[in-house]
Amino acid sequence: MEYNFREIEAKWISFWKSNKSYKVSEDPSKKKYYVLDMFPYPSGAGLHVGHPLGYIASDVLARYKKLEGFNVLHPMGYDSFGLPAEQYAIQTGQHPAITTNKNIERYRNQLDQLGFCYDWDREIRTSSPDYYKWTQWIFKQLFDCYYDEKLNKALRISALIAEFERSGNQDVQATNHCELVFSSQEWSTFDTAKKEAVLQQYRLVYLADSWVNWCPELGTVLANDEVVNGKSERGSHPVMQKKMRQWSMRIKAYAERLLKDLDHLDWTDSIKEQQRNWIGKSVGCSVSFEVENYSAPIEVFTTRPDTIFGVSFMVLAPEHPFVLEITTKENRDAVLAYQKAASKKTERDRQSDVKTISGQNTGAFVIHPLSGEKIQIWIADYVLASYGTGAVMAVPCGDQRDFDFAKHFDIEIKNIFDHIDISEQAHTEKNGTLKDSDFLNGLEVAPAIKKAIGVLEEKSIGQGTTNYRLRDAVFSRQRYWGEPFPVYYKENIPKTVSDENLPIELPEVDSYLPTQQGEPPLARAEKESWNHFSGDRMEYNTMPGWAGSSWYFLRYMDPSNETEFVSKEKSDYWNKVDLYIGGAEHATGHLLYSRFWTKFLYDQDYISFDEPFQKLINQGMILGKSSFVYRLADSNTFVSKGKIQGKDTQPIHVDISLVENNKLNIEGFKKWRSDYSNASFLLEDNGDYLCGAEVEKMSKSKFNVQTPDDLIQKYGADTLRLYEMFLGPIEQSKPWDTKGISGVHNFLRKCWRLYCNAEGVSILNGNDPTKDELKTLHKTIKRIREDLDRYSLNTCVSTFMIAVNEFTEQKCNNRDILEAFLILLAPYAPHFCEELWMKAGQKEGSLFEASYPIYDEKHLVEDSFDYPISFNGKMRFKVNLSLSLDRQALQKEVESLEQTKKWLDGKTPKKIIVVPGKIVNIVL
RNA sequence: GCGGAUGUGGUGAAAUUGGUAGACACGCUAGACUUAGGAUCUAGUGCCGUGAGGUGUGUGGGUUCGAGUCCCUCCAUCCGCACCA
């Protein structure tokens, strides 16, 4: 009987299922290993061949660790809240939960076919109330905490209230956005609403009027990482800035720790760098400038306090709160007009408009705190309200934008750099000696910065500070299909629902659209539709997509705990994720938010580790090959690729199932869509229609999606698993191409023949293994172990192939050898190996109860070696010599060879390098 | 502009500490078997050259007995960030 993968795979999948082979529990006697995949959003399109790449890799490593004796946690679940199901609900009226469940079912079927060793008893779904109960609970903890900058950790808000009662907020060092300074006495006079308003400015999750990314098309706000080039990440709709009352997460409080702790993670430099970039730390100094005829000073942040004597003007962001108050009468209209124009610009406009210089003089002045000079105040949209203080001291001689601005508006440019010409451009490098700068004269940049900060602090004009680009993350969405907040309002004061009333379940609504008044869909729910209702109303927003995914790796440890989000005992045992595999696109979203939540939960002692993912591998994207047909403009005629020259044609994506080797199946194409049924074609001379091709991301809309299903049908899951690993290094992106899959399939068939005869009966024998057989086996063990330990999954497949080629040549049917080999191969081809393991006579259960073979060096000891003999570093011939020879003996031996004499060609070698066991190099 | 990554046959790729470049596979060529083949087997296959041989890891340089690997320069592609004060 030939290798019948369909029968075998079905058999073992059901065996594993009915025996619960992959169920795991905490076992203190074993070392744990936690392998995690980024869980998928179950989309309607199902899995394509790109998804399993990471899943196969993690499955191989999970099975390997299991065979090595680790207690392996390898779970899977679904990130099941999300926009597509909701969009579909809006169109059809079907509840998103129904769509979601259907999609999950399809995903599960596809995952099952691939033979993964997930413990499905641990499955989680972020949209299930059992799960989001705890997402809501974590929200409550964040709400109930603030960040103490002295202890550098999150503390309970009750401690802060006690502090306020004791001595007001003057000496409180906590991350906040509170501008009010109050004493304990003043605090005691505040009413409940005022107190809560102040507390909101300290809580780790807070409600605030802030500038948010509003996406009118999606009808919701978006976090910064969800906006790409001024458009929404999902759907690519325009995004604008809008001031709205929204929930935000005070991730800023953790900026320094999120930055510092990156150093200890085994992640790629690229991802770490992206996070560093996103956090954007800059060290500098805040300086306050008194405004002429105005009570409050303007604060600026600068990284170059050394250039303070080069300040020629001041620029405020158009949104800066002082603008209108300080603007002179004469400038008022122009300023208003400028503000209006700026507010209309989307973030994208502002970005694409970098070259145009614009601004408006307010007519007001600040007083230079050191020189006493009067300095004009401008507004300009190159200054961002959300970074630093929303105001800059402009130093045109040292900053190119300030320089350009000054030139454009004809403002004086002071040169404070000695012997440096600034007539053409600013001197932006951090070097040079200062002049015309009072006490800084003659100093270089670094000491000048230090001295400037010192003097500014001494005079109470400024203070050394650190700024982060990282902004607090907007946490509410005006959407239906997300976690409801455990929040209600009483007299407009937000309050959290008590624990025993959690979860707040999603109420039924009559439509998934916003209300007439523009309120989120949840505002449609009747009071009775809520499973719990308090106060005047419940919160109408829902949580963003990243809420559920920020802590899911913890829930897998204890998925059905009804009293805690995870028990301390279990999280202590499983600890952080040892190996996390997923796409690099989550660099500044999920991977940052998860770290933030983990640190918070650590601060509150709910878990005992402060980073979620120790080792991260970013699998590359598998790209699709799209095919194109070319339609003649304004017609229903399609021109073959070879004939489009000089014609006005438009490329149109065509379903890749209608194309083979770039040749279009014309009949199929006509049937594909009704408007093509009477299309006409301009063909190649041989009568074929040739399509164009391009490598692109796989997507439904490009008709280039390859599902694993067909391939599993044709070759089996084991072949697909091996093939996806064989394609190349896991981190690398590559176009999908099934060309090579037959090679991998043939390998399995060839391997099968080592174990069974044509009738499918085992042909293994119990003889003593030969020296050669042992050598092949142990060489293979060594290589596979080393490769798996460095996550080099592609090279293992070649190693298996080499081993099978050698065993075949050796006519090896040895039981000990081939059984050991099965264990090596099993992580890659589990069904195949289980079957042969059973056929070999191992009746007792699964191969995965076995233990991984141990490499024994003694089988690899050689007594001779094919020495490459090179001349001037170029290999010329090889000679087999004993490894027992030392340097001198080797050299003598080589010198006496006929071939050596030939290549020497009568010359005397200058030098002979002899590396025993490696090489001989003769220098002429 | 800044930062990160990657450049090796017709293709996917290998080469862990500097030591035989192209393992393993696909494809291709020739042959065997076959009614036929998109099945199987055998041999060949970096490029130039009939050959001896030459040449070859994006470019140019350097270190070294020896460089795909280390250092410098430039180029190309991909990804991220970008008026960040």
Side-chain angles (χ1 to χ4, degrees):
Chain A
M1 194 181 63
E2 277 276 285
Y3 161 45
N4 183 342
F5 55 84
R6 280 198 202 107
E7 209 169 278
I8 292 168
E9 289 177 5
K11 171 179 160 187
W12 288 101
I13 286 167
S14 90
F15 175 90
W16 296 329
K17 199 170 178 182
S18 53
N19 287 278
K20 293 225 178 249
S21 302
Y22 301 123
K23 190 165 175 56
V24 288
S25 52
E26 299 69 43
D27 178 353
S29 72
K30 281 187 181 172
K31 278 214 280 187
K32 69 94 191 187
Y33 194 82
Y34 187 177
V35 192
L36 184 65
D37 295 292
M38 285 187 189
F39 63 166
Y41 171 77
S43 83
L47 290 175
H48 62 65
V49 290
H51 290 110
L53 185 69
Y55 305 158
I56 294 168
S58 65
D59 200 64
V60 167
L61 290 161
R63 287 176 183 274
Y64 166 60
K65 288 288 171 186
K66 201 170 147 74
L67 285 165
E68 273 203 316
F70 285 87
N71 193 22
V72 177
L73 178 58
H74 185 41
M76 183 48 98
Y78 306 96
D79 190 11
S80 47
F81 274 131
L83 284 182
E86 181 166 357
Q87 295 292 57
Y88 188 74
I90 290 170
Q91 283 160 29
T92 63
Q94 176 166 282
H95 195 284
I98 298 172
T99 321
T100 303
N101 286 339
K102 211 154 65 192
N103 292 347
I104 286 178
E105 209 173 303
R106 170 136 156 75
Y107 266 63
R108 178 62 192 274
N109 279 332
Q110 288 184 302
L111 290 170
D112 279 348
Q113 283 183 59
L114 281 156
F116 295 132
C117 62
Y118 297 127
D119 177 357
W120 281 109
D121 290 350
R122 292 174 184 266
E123 182 201 289
I124 55 172
R125 302 177 181 192
T126 54
S127 62
S128 137
D130 300 339
Y131 180 85
Y132 68 66
K133 169 180 177 179
W134 297 106
T135 309
Q136 292 172 345
W137 179 85
I138 294 172
F139 173 91
K140 280 188 61 182
Q141 309 315 307
L142 284 156
F143 182 86
D144 196 42
C145 286
Y146 74 103
Y147 198 83
D148 183 296
E149 292 178 348
K150 267 182 292 189
L151 297 173
N152 246 311
K153 64 188 284 196
L155 297 180
R156 286 291 161 181
I157 205 86
S158 53
L160 186 68
I161 296 171
E163 182 64 26
F164 288 168
E165 283 165 356
R166 200 163 37 239
S167 41
N169 74 346
Q170 272 139 328
D171 300 322
V172 169
Q173 280 182 47
T175 315
N176 69 85
H177 58 279
C178 181
E179 270 151 25
L180 194 66
V181 180
F182 53 83
S183 64
S184 59
Q185 177 127 54
E186 286 166 307
W187 172 259
S188 66
T189 63
F190 294 168
D191 63 13
T192 321
K194 177 97 189 234
K195 278 181 176 164
E196 180 54 35
V198 169
L199 289 175
Q200 289 283 336
Q201 291 163 343
Y202 288 84
R203 295 183 189 276
L204 285 178
V205 55
Y206 59 92
L207 201 54
D209 290 317
S210 48
W211 290 98
V212 295
N213 305 300
W214 172 251
C215 179
E217 220 88 6
L218 293 173
T220 190
V221 305
L222 299 170
N224 289 327
D225 65 281
E226 292 167 320
V227 182
V228 178
N229 287 330
K231 296 204 167 187
S232 66
E233 187 192 20
R234 282 197 182 260
S236 208
H237 305 297
V239 172
M240 48 205 282
Q241 298 302 300
K242 196 173 168 183
K243 201 155 199 175
M244 282 176 77
R245 195 160 184 77
Q246 295 292 308
W247 288 103
S248 288
M249 289 263 171
R250 205 178 301 281
I251 189 172
K252 251 180 159 165
Y254 284 84
E256 186 60 35
R257 282 164 69 187
L258 288 169
L259 184 69
K260 201 180 70 216
D261 292 346
L262 278 173
D263 296 346
H264 314 294
L265 298 177
D266 305 325
W267 296 10
T268 61
D269 289 342
S270 149
I271 297 267
K272 287 194 197 181
E273 208 45 46
Q274 278 181 57
Q275 292 212 347
R276 287 193 190 109
N277 239 318
W278 193 257
I279 295 167
K281 179 178 182 172
S282 56
V283 179
C285 177
S286 68
V287 186
S288 71
F289 286 75
E290 297 295 334
V291 182
E292 199 181 44
N293 306 321
Y294 188 68
S295 55
I298 290 175
E299 289 252 324
V300 300
F301 173 76
T302 176
T303 55
R304 296 291 303 275
D306 56 315
T307 62
I308 187 140
F309 289 98
V311 177
S312 317
F313 57 101
M314 169 90 32
V315 191
L316 306 184
E319 302 91 345
H320 195 284
F322 293 179
V323 173
L324 284 179
E325 299 173 36
I326 60 172
T327 298
T328 57
K329 251 188 218 137
E330 306 80 69
N331 291 292
R332 196 176 167 82
D333 289 344
V335 164
L336 276 170
Y338 189 84
Q339 280 185 321
K340 200 172 170 195
S343 74
K344 271 194 187 151
K345 283 192 190 174
T346 63
E347 197 140 304
R348 187 178 183 74
D349 292 338
R350 276 203 187 190
Q351 277 171 16
S352 56
D353 217 15
V354 174
K355 275 154 231 123
T356 336
I357 295 165
S358 74
Q360 174 58 45
N361 197 339
T362 61
F365 293 90
V366 288
I367 308 299
H368 193 290
L370 296 169
S371 70
E373 272 175 277
K374 272 173 75 171
I375 293 169
Q376 25 184 320
I377 306 173
W378 289 66
I379 60 171
D381 65 6
Y382 81 85
V383 176
L384 307 176
S386 50
Y387 182 76
T389 59
V392 295
M393 54 177 227
V395 182
C397 65
D399 183 291
Q400 195 57 43
R401 291 153 317 178
D402 296 346
F403 183 90
D404 295 339
F405 193 89
K407 282 265 178 204
H408 188 263
F409 290 106
D410 209 16
I411 302 171
E412 183 206 355
I413 297 177
K414 283 186 214 165
N415 189 358
I416 50 162
F417 297 110
D418 209 8
H419 302 301
I420 288 173
D421 173 41
I422 55 148
S423 55
E424 291 302 318
Q425 56 176 17
H427 175 70
T428 53
E429 276 136 86
K430 275 194 150 189
N431 58 30
T433 312
L434 294 167
K435 64 169 185 181
D436 298 340
S437 295
D438 197 350
F439 57 88
L440 298 173
N441 281 339
L443 288 177
E444 297 275 329
V445 172
I449 289 178
K450 221 173 151 191
K451 180 149 189 197
I453 295 178
V455 171
L456 290 168
E457 285 185 345
E458 198 180 299
K459 301 193 171 182
S460 301
I461 301 164
Q463 196 170 24
T465 35
T466 302
N467 238 304
Y468 298 92
R469 199 184 72 102
L470 180 74
R471 297 177 213 168
D472 285 347
V474 178
F475 194 69
S476 31
R477 297 292 178 272
Q478 293 67 47
R479 283 278 169 168
Y480 179 77
W481 192 228
E483 297 87 348
F485 283 83
V487 169
Y488 63 90
Y489 292 86
K490 183 137 191 165
E491 279 149 15
N492 275 325
I493 298 171
K495 294 184 184 298
T496 53
V497 172
S498 62
D499 284 357
E500 63 269 22
N501 291 316
L502 297 183
I504 302 300
E505 292 186 36
L506 266 178
E508 291 299 324
V509 290
D510 58 350
S511 156
Y512 304 102
L513 289 168
T515 64
Q516 293 281 314
Q517 294 76 37
E519 286 191 299
L522 289 195
R524 292 173 175 273
E526 306 285 333
K527 191 170 175 180
E528 301 74 46
S529 302
W530 292 89
N531 67 329
H532 173 84
F533 193 100
S534 295
D536 306 323
R537 69 167 177 96
M538 300 301 286
E539 170 66 58
Y540 296 148
N541 289 299
T542 52
M543 297 187 197
W546 52 270
S549 61
S550 293
W551 72 283
Y552 77 111
F553 49 93
L554 296 170
R555 188 63 179 173
Y556 281 133
M557 300 171 181
D558 196 3
S560 43
N561 192 332
E562 289 176 12
T563 54
E564 291 166 288
F565 74 108
V566 58
S567 81
K568 189 80 190 294
E569 193 194 347
K570 291 189 176 176
S571 67
D572 278 351
Y573 177 77
W574 292 113
N575 210 273
K576 50 182 126 168
V577 174
D578 297 280
L579 175 65
Y580 194 31
I581 298 187
E585 66 274 19
H586 299 106
T588 49
H590 165 61
L591 288 171
L592 202 57
Y593 297 131
S594 304
R595 295 183 61 219
F596 162 40
W597 283 34
T598 303
K599 288 182 188 303
F600 167 71
L601 292 168
Y602 168 81
D603 283 355
Q604 284 297 308
D605 206 28
Y606 290 117
I607 53 176
S608 46
F609 42 95
D610 68 349
E611 281 291 340
F613 317 118
Q614 185 55 44
K615 163 81 188 171
L616 172 71
I617 294 180
N618 297 114
Q619 99 255 23
M621 208 182 320
I622 293 215
L623 303 164
K625 194 182 124 187
S626 313
S627 286
F628 295 90
V629 291
Y630 301 89
R631 185 167 63 190
L632 207 56
D634 307 316
S635 78
N636 207 10
T637 301
F638 293 86
V639 185
S640 183
K641 178 92 194 292
K643 300 276 179 183
I644 56 173
Q645 200 78 53
K647 297 193 178 67
D648 182 14
T649 55
Q650 180 199 5
I652 296 171
H653 279 98
V654 59
D655 197 310
I656 49 165
S657 65
L658 297 169
V659 182
E660 208 172 339
N661 282 329
N662 292 334
K663 213 179 102 182
L664 180 70
N665 168 355
I666 294 176
E667 285 316 305
F669 179 72
K670 283 181 165 179
K671 280 183 210 141
W672 184 40
R673 289 188 156 184
S674 58
D675 37 329
Y676 298 154
S677 60
N678 53 2
S680 52
F681 299 88
L682 187 58
L683 304 173
E684 301 293 324
D685 298 336
N686 65 2
D688 288 344
Y689 185 99
L690 289 186
C691 296
E694 210 173 295
V695 171
E696 298 180 290
K697 229 166 145 169
M698 261 189 213
S699 114
K700 223 174 162 181
S701 63
K702 296 184 176 114
F703 305 106
N704 63 353
V705 175
Q706 284 269 3
T707 67
D709 310 50
D710 312 345
L711 292 163
I712 290 173
Q713 261 306 304
K714 204 164 165 192
Y715 298 102
D718 287 327
T719 296
L720 184 67
R721 290 168 63 106
L722 277 159
Y723 183 59
E724 292 219 12
M725 295 297 96
F726 188 56
L727 279 176
I730 178 85
E731 310 86 344
Q732 227 158 78
S733 286
K734 51 226 145 196
W736 178 252
D737 194 338
T738 53
K739 267 200 307 222
I741 199 166
S742 61
V744 171
H745 190 63
N746 286 342
F747 154 73
L748 283 180
R749 302 191 353 181
K750 192 168 179 182
C751 183
W752 182 266
R753 291 198 289 267
L754 291 171
Y755 295 81
C756 299
N757 62 14
E759 282 75 48
V761 177
S762 171
I763 51 172
L764 299 188
N765 66 50
N767 303 344
D768 284 340
T770 66
K771 208 177 154 211
D772 277 351
E773 289 168 348
L774 282 167
K775 189 172 149 191
T776 299
L777 176 68
H778 282 270
K779 182 178 76 183
T780 306
I781 297 172
K782 180 168 190 255
R783 286 248 279 270
I784 299 291
R785 273 213 130 112
E786 284 170 355
D787 287 358
L788 287 178
D789 288 341
R790 64 191 173 102
Y791 315 103
S792 171
L793 300 172
N794 53 326
T795 49
C796 290
V797 183
S798 325
T799 304
F800 292 137
M801 289 174 170
I802 293 168
V804 164
N805 289 346
E806 290 182 8
F807 288 142
T808 305
E809 209 157 302
Q810 292 156 5
K811 302 208 173 1
C812 173
N813 300 115
N814 185 279
R815 176 179 301 277
D816 293 346
I817 298 282
L818 292 178
E819 280 184 0
F821 181 72
L822 276 186
I823 300 172
L824 297 178
L825 180 61
Y828 282 80
H831 321 82
F832 178 91
C833 292
E834 287 269 37
E835 181 69 14
L836 288 177
W837 184 257
M838 189 207 72
K839 278 189 188 292
Q842 302 278 0
K843 295 239 160 41
E844 281 155 51
S846 164
L847 177 155
F848 291 93
E849 306 299 323
S851 52
Y852 212 72
I854 290 169
Y855 156 66
D856 187 344
E857 180 125 38
K858 76 173 182 228
H859 299 297
L860 295 193
V861 176
E862 298 272 1
D863 35 45
S864 70
F865 176 69
D866 261 344
Y867 275 95
I869 312 299
S870 49
F871 291 77
N872 287 335
K874 189 89 197 155
M875 201 277 286
R876 294 304 181 181
F877 60 88
K878 282 186 209 171
V879 60
N880 192 272
L881 295 171
S882 164
L883 278 166
S884 62
L885 296 176
D886 64 7
R887 256 169 230 262
Q888 277 95 21
L890 268 171
Q891 181 168 339
K892 218 170 151 196
E893 200 61 51
V894 170
E895 278 176 312
S896 69
L897 290 168
E898 259 326 292
Q899 280 163 291
T900 308
K901 286 175 188 147
K902 181 192 146 201
W903 280 99
L904 277 176
D905 196 23
K907 283 174 227 151
T908 321
K910 281 198 192 116
K911 199 175 185 184
I912 300 182
I913 313 281
V914 180
V915 186
K918 281 258 166 80
I919 201 167
V920 176
N921 188 18
I922 299 169
V923 187
L924 292 175

